[in-house]
Amino acid sequence: MEIVILPDAAAVGRAAASVIADVVARKPEGALGLATGSSPLAIYAELAQRVEAGELDFSRMRGFALDEYVGLDYAHPESYHAVIDRTVTRPLGFSPELVSVPDGMAPDIPAACAAYEAAIDAAGGIDVQILGIGANGHIGFNEPTSSLASRTRIKTLTPKTREDNARFFDSPEQVPTHCVTQGLGTILRAGRLVLVAQGAGKADAIAAAVEGPVSASCPASVLQLHEHATVVLDEAAASRLHNAEYYRYTWTNKPEWQRY
Ligand code: F6R
């Protein structure tokens, strides 16, 4: 795992955006895995600037969102269909028909989940998956005790995740209780993983994910099993890492071509 500690959240966004930009430049018809929430917003803003400047073109890229709430109308501004459209598809210039979000309104959710997995496979897999991390160590909406081999499926959100996401809704009760999420096994199949975390609220989860045992109790620890995972952190999110000095040393001494 590559661990990069940067001074602040803006630097985290720029660095992670560079990884994505590199993949898009090399494979303009590839597939990008898309996270929602606050963590990746700086990445999307940075990428949008590069698109505006004519340096990048997402119009032939496919996009696959990580997750969606169950039973939240797509017209709701906090449905991930709406969030992905507003923060990714439009500003980055994806072709809307090439962007997929799990179907949380499907009458047959298991069938919709199987279709989502099949769509990822049909696209040739995800080239690079963007990830945030929950304070409880979740990635996607794979809450603690999610199987490390899981695929896209329905999950129950923990009270902590509903509380954390209440800031996006008018009242905490409006946060849906269930979601559809790519599984940890789905995430592991992506060619590259880039996880970003900012702020002290993520420090414990990052320490468990990076330095703790691989365990379903901390779903993000599954990154330790991936061949090419990069974790980009600001100082606050890195503040509980025992080996932070070593990660800084490694990064400083890494040849340019080996970075990211
Ligand atoms: C969102 C997702 C979640 C978030 C996580 C952190 O698609 O998959 O795992 O990345 O809950 O959320 P923020 O970034 O809002 O702190």
Side-chain angles (χ1 to χ4, degrees):
M1 205 187 308
E2 183 173 57
I3 298 141
V4 186
I5 304 172
L6 298 172
D8 53 41
V12 170
R14 280 194 301 274
S18 294
V19 176
I20 309 302
D22 184 53
V23 171
V24 177
R26 279 188 292 109
K27 198 171 172 191
E29 293 180 4
L32 195 56
L34 304 164
T36 53
S38 307
S39 307
L41 290 178
I43 304 178
Y44 300 141
E46 173 73 21
L47 290 172
Q49 277 182 23
R50 297 192 195 187
V51 168
E52 187 92 350
E55 296 164 16
L56 272 182
D57 178 9
F58 285 86
S59 63
R60 287 178 294 146
M61 287 294 286
R62 284 183 180 275
F64 288 96
L66 271 173
D67 38 23
E68 175 59 288
Y69 293 113
V70 167
L72 192 63
D73 197 277
Y74 299 156
H76 190 290
E78 293 307 327
S79 77
Y80 286 171
H81 276 76
V83 171
I84 289 287
D85 187 59
R86 187 168 71 234
T87 61
V88 182
T89 308
R90 287 170 194 275
L92 272 59
F94 273 88
S95 303
E97 68 278 11
L98 297 182
V99 178
S100 306
V101 179
D103 191 354
M105 296 293 285
D108 183 344
I109 296 255
C113 293
Y116 201 68
E117 289 281 331
I120 293 174
D121 285 347
I126 290 172
D127 293 290
V128 54
Q129 173 67 59
I130 299 171
L131 296 165
I133 184 170
N136 64 3
H138 72 219
I139 52 174
F141 275 141
N142 294 282
E143 300 284 32
T145 71
S146 287
S147 157
L148 301 183
S150 50
R151 294 300 180 89
T152 304
R153 70 219 183 286
I154 188 167
K155 288 292 288 179
T156 308
L157 294 170
T158 61
K160 169 69 177 152
T161 299
R162 291 187 68 226
E163 188 186 311
D164 286 348
N165 286 5
R167 68 190 192 279
F168 297 116
F169 292 81
D170 292 336
S171 71
E173 307 79 61
Q174 289 179 10
V175 184
T177 52
H178 291 79
C179 63
V180 172
T181 181
Q182 285 187 35
L184 295 172
T186 316
I187 292 168
L188 278 183
R189 297 178 81 213
R192 272 203 79 160
L193 305 179
V194 180
L195 185 147
V196 290
Q198 308 93 344
K202 302 292 174 68
D204 284 331
I206 286 295
V210 171
E211 296 180 339
V214 175
S215 161
S217 297
C218 178
S221 65
V222 80
L223 264 68
Q224 296 177 36
L225 297 176
H226 196 277
E227 229 175 348
H228 201 175
T230 302
V231 176
V232 191
L233 308 168
D234 69 1
E235 289 288 348
S239 59
R240 297 273 165 81
L241 289 170
H242 290 296
N243 295 319
E245 274 320 307
Y246 170 62
Y247 309 137
R248 289 194 186 90
Y249 172 87
T250 312
W251 181 247
T252 311
N253 289 289
K254 215 169 219 186
E256 193 67 38
W257 64 268
Q258 254 190 351
R259 291 184 171 201
Y260 299 119

